[in-house]
Amino acid sequence: MQRRRVIGLLSLLPLAPLAGALGLAGCSREQPFQQLEGATMGTRYHIRFKPPVSSFDAAAMQAVVDARLEALNASLSTYRSDSLITAFNEAPVGQVMPIDADFENMLSLSRQVHQASSGAFDPTVGALVNLWGFGWPKPEQPLIRLPEPKAIEAARGRFDAVTQMAPGKLVKHAPVRLDFSAIAKGYGVDLIAGVVRAHGVQHFMTEIGGEVATQGSGPTGGPWRIGIEAPDPVVTGRVLARVHLTNGSLATSGNYRNFFEVEGQRFSHIIDPVSGYPVPQPPVSVSVIAPSVALADAWATAFMVLDEERGLAVAEENQLAVYWVYQDNTGHRTRQSSRMQPYLDAAKH
Ligand code: ADP
Ligand code: MG
């Protein structure tokens, strides 16, 4: 198996910081924008913000962000043997396991998207993710043969087999493994945004691996301008479309730099929870604007699973702004839901 996986696909290019670098700061009494960054979830977070006062202690705010993200990882990281999620996944069927508030939030947001997407988004894909060889820890032997149908059947998830008994207590009635990889980065961005707001910051953009939250205006004084990248497995940064966001949450799921190969066939890292197989022909990327970044992140993954017609219908039903990029023989082609149009139009002016 050849493996080309860039964790934390940066499919969105934050454009506003570039404008900031050109020295377009506002009048002299205003604070210039600052940037913070750090490592998290196998990638990096960035915060671009306008300090509310000149004496603003950015290092103190960053310490709170780092502590918050560390607590989140200690709960939800499937990459850590000591996390709550790993303990739950390793526990025998029927054993009641402790979970924290972030874990509960992940479950309820996931259930919401699971139901509204007819099961396209499903955090109980954990065993399938491992079976297909892109879980953690990485398999010792590369996957050289496709898994057997009965192994796929046995690894199928069941969200209805996971029940919260009481606050802080979770149990499974079948041997399922949870994996919140498709929503946790977005949720992490919501947490950072919460910390930044709590420090009195009104104008900011923050992102983890391309999942973005914005508030107020960017360094040029207008809305934050976010670029949706053109699909290219090698070159980054070619912008295909721009959206304008003031108070917004945008996430992207992409397949063009994140896939694996078995028996010469290329497979998506997104699994169709119903078939148990990687999605055969997913869009190259899907970007979603939703009420929170966690929801946008989960929905972006769901739209990688849903086919084109169904995806568009589900986007309209759920009043979501969605932008799809497809690859065909002649190049790429794009599609959007009606709610996305105003964000694109705004960016044209
Ligand atoms: P990225 O990791 O590129 O940001 P996503 O947010 O779409 O992309 O998350 C993909 C990850 O989510 C996969 O690597 C896998 O762990 C998990 N996953 C795969 N298929 C599904 C699915 N249908 N529903 C929920 N999680 C999924
Ligand atoms: Mg996602």
Side-chain angles (χ1 to χ4, degrees):
M1 178 181 72
Q2 258 191 338
R3 190 183 173 97
R4 293 190 52 194
R5 177 165 166 80
V6 178
I7 297 170
L9 164 88
L10 188 72
S11 39
L12 298 160
L13 183 72
L15 297 171
L18 299 179
L22 299 175
L24 300 175
C27 71
S28 57
R29 272 181 296 127
E30 296 209 340
Q31 304 304 317
F33 274 74
Q34 292 183 15
Q35 179 149 324
L36 295 171
E37 64 171 288
T40 190
M41 301 185 192
T43 180
R44 297 189 76 71
Y45 71 80
H46 293 91
I47 309 167
R48 183 98 179 139
F49 69 102
K50 185 174 182 170
V53 289
S54 59
S55 59
F56 189 76
D57 189 347
M61 179 171 83
Q62 185 163 26
V64 180
V65 166
D66 286 335
R68 196 66 192 81
L69 291 173
E70 168 52 29
L72 181 63
N73 278 306
S75 172
L76 296 180
S77 177
T78 48
Y79 291 33
R80 282 166 64 154
S81 55
D82 60 349
S83 64
L84 293 179
I85 196 167
T86 299
F88 177 82
N89 285 342
E90 299 297 332
V93 169
Q95 185 167 328
V96 179
M97 297 299 290
I99 56 170
D100 63 7
D102 288 328
F103 206 131
E104 289 182 357
N105 289 340
M106 286 293 81
L107 283 167
S108 65
L109 290 167
S110 295
R111 228 180 269 280
Q112 195 180 319
V113 179
H114 177 74
Q115 279 161 4
S117 68
S118 312
F121 179 83
D122 188 341
T124 65
V125 291
L128 286 168
V129 167
N130 290 346
L131 182 69
W132 284 98
F134 61 100
W136 190 266
K138 282 187 197 169
E140 278 166 25
Q141 298 291 321
L143 200 65
I144 45 171
R145 235 173 260 121
L146 298 183
E148 294 291 330
K150 57 175 193 309
I152 294 171
E153 190 50 42
R156 286 257 299 271
R158 278 188 50 195
F159 207 176
D160 63 355
V162 177
T163 318
Q164 199 172 333
M165 311 295 288
K169 291 186 194 315
L170 195 69
V171 70
K172 58 188 170 199
H173 310 291
V176 295
R177 295 182 76 87
L178 287 169
D179 174 357
F180 291 121
S181 306
I183 183 172
K185 270 190 288 180
Y187 183 70
V189 174
D190 289 325
L191 293 185
I192 298 175
V195 171
V196 172
R197 264 184 223 112
H199 281 75
V201 176
Q202 288 174 9
H203 304 280
F204 66 85
M205 178 188 73
T206 179
E207 60 97 23
I208 304 178
E211 325 298 19
V212 183
T214 65
Q215 183 177 298
S217 37
T220 54
W224 291 94
R225 292 176 286 157
I226 313 289
I228 297 175
E229 224 182 69
D232 191 313
V234 184
V235 182
T236 56
R238 197 160 66 83
V239 172
L240 192 62
R242 289 190 172 84
V243 297
H244 272 190
L245 290 179
T246 40
N247 301 341
S249 305
L250 185 147
T252 298
S253 186
N255 203 45
Y256 51 102
R257 250 176 260 133
N258 203 347
F259 53 82
F260 59 97
E261 279 175 20
V262 187
E263 294 181 0
Q265 252 183 294
R266 187 181 281 200
F267 288 97
S268 166
H269 74 304
I270 307 290
I271 286 177
D272 179 343
V274 177
S275 70
Y277 284 76
V279 180
Q281 303 251 287
V284 274
S285 78
V286 185
S287 300
V288 179
I289 298 173
S292 69
V293 192
L295 287 170
D297 194 359
W299 271 115
T301 302
F303 287 119
M304 293 292 281
V305 175
L306 295 169
D307 71 31
E308 194 168 340
E309 290 321 309
R310 181 98 184 93
L312 193 59
V314 169
E316 299 297 346
E317 266 165 41
N318 289 278
Q319 305 185 340
L320 292 163
V322 186
Y323 188 86
W324 290 265
V325 183
Y326 294 96
Q327 188 83 49
D328 57 27
N329 302 337
T330 54
H332 65 259
R333 123 187 114 74
T334 66
R335 203 155 185 203
Q336 72 249 2
S337 66
S338 53
R339 294 251 167 168
M340 182 55 88
Q341 198 58 51
Y343 296 99
L344 298 167
D345 288 344
K348 284 190 192 130
H349 304 302

